[in-house]
Amino acid sequence: MSKMKIYEIPEPVLRQKAEKVDAVDDAIRKTLADMLETMYAGNGVGLAANQVGLLKRLVVIDCAGEGEDPAPIKMVNPEIIAHSDNKILHNEGCLSLPREYADVERWETVKVRYTDENGHERTRDTDGLLAIAMQHEIDHLDGILFIDYLSKLKRDKLLTHLEKRRKRESEEE
Ligand code: NI
């Protein structure tokens, strides 16, 4: 396995739509394994292929809590096929907007359909952090970021904050 470069805002690939994967082969399995390693290295709970510069509909997620056994989920062509009526507010972050967080409204539960790394179709009912991660990561595949759900004022504030910190950190180097 090898760690990949994580693309951060404003890389255009984060705003593009990823393409459907036709066949799950060794190259796809290798990409999923590398994405998982990259996600763990960045202490993330989810990672979409756009974030490593690939426009393929691939997502990895692991929402296991601290001290729990790893629970990696590798998904090809994931899609939300049903969701609850109600939404909940959760404080989200993203490896492509490092160390910035904001409250975002998401469906409380979602049913996801995807192909696993062996090429088998699966559906999964999710709630809690996993349901939020599913929505966040599947959004990435369509070029959507969590900041898109914020008011312009909040979004601009977050982006300015990120820019200032980057500048400060580059000056310190
Ligand atoms: Ni993200």
Side-chain angles (χ1 to χ4, degrees), residues 39 44-48 51 58-64 71 73 75 78 80 88 90-94 104-110 112 126-141 144 146 149:
M39 182 194 84
V45 298
L47 192 71
Q51 295 181 274
L58 301 172
V59 163
V60 294
I61 288 179
D62 189 337
C63 289
I73 306 171
M75 296 181 285
I80 291 164
I88 50 164
H90 187 264
N91 199 249
E92 291 187 24
C94 179
V104 176
E105 256 195 353
R106 301 278 187 186
W107 305 115
E108 188 170 17
T109 67
V110 292
V112 179
T126 66
D127 58 13
L129 182 59
L130 184 54
I132 289 157
M134 287 287 182
Q135 294 167 80
H136 178 118
E137 300 311 328
I138 292 171
D139 266 356
H140 271 300
L141 302 179
I144 299 165
F146 78 89
Y149 297 99

Side-chain angles (χ1 to χ4, degrees), residues 14 16 24 34-35 42 78 96:
L14 294 170
Q16 289 170 309
V24 185
D34 289 346
M35 283 172 62
S96 295

Side-chain angles (χ1 to χ4, degrees), residues 15-169:
R15 289 310 196 173
Q16 289 170 309
K17 207 172 150 76
E19 282 175 21
K20 221 174 155 192
V21 173
D22 290 328
V24 185
D25 55 16
D26 285 344
I28 292 294
R29 279 185 280 275
K30 164 94 166 69
T31 301
L32 287 165
D34 289 346
M35 283 172 62
L36 203 59
E37 189 187 342
T38 306
M39 182 194 84
Y40 286 138
N43 289 318
V45 298
L47 192 71
N50 304 50
Q51 295 181 274
V52 289
L54 298 172
L55 287 171
K56 291 179 179 162
R57 300 190 82 81
L58 301 172
V59 163
V60 294
I61 288 179
D62 189 337
C63 289
E66 232 180 284
E68 289 176 11
D69 287 336
I73 306 171
K74 297 172 183 171
M75 296 181 285
V76 178
N77 302 328
E79 52 181 327
I80 291 164
I81 54 170
H83 61 73
S84 56
D85 292 332
N86 53 314
K87 289 185 166 183
I88 50 164
L89 210 56
H90 187 264
N91 199 249
E92 291 187 24
C94 179
L95 292 174
S96 295
L97 290 107
R99 284 175 288 155
E100 296 295 333
Y101 303 90
D103 285 342
V104 176
E105 256 195 353
R106 301 278 187 186
W107 305 115
E108 188 170 17
T109 67
V110 292
K111 188 195 264 291
V112 179
R113 181 168 61 205
Y114 63 96
T115 303
D116 71 15
E117 63 176 331
N118 299 311
H120 298 131
E121 191 170 291
R122 290 179 180 274
T123 58
R124 188 164 181 146
D125 290 299
T126 66
D127 58 13
L129 182 59
L130 184 54
I132 289 157
M134 287 287 182
Q135 294 167 80
H136 178 118
E137 300 311 328
I138 292 171
D139 266 356
H140 271 300
L141 302 179
D142 293 317
I144 299 165
L145 301 172
F146 78 89
I147 52 170
D148 299 350
Y149 297 99
L150 308 178
S151 66
K152 188 178 183 316
L153 188 73
K154 279 190 184 164
R155 182 166 56 246
D156 288 348
K157 207 173 148 192
L158 186 150
L159 291 172
T160 305
H161 191 253
L162 176 64
E163 219 33 68
K164 274 190 186 155
R165 185 156 37 72
R166 273 180 178 158
K167 203 166 163 240
R168 200 168 58 235
E169 284 170 356

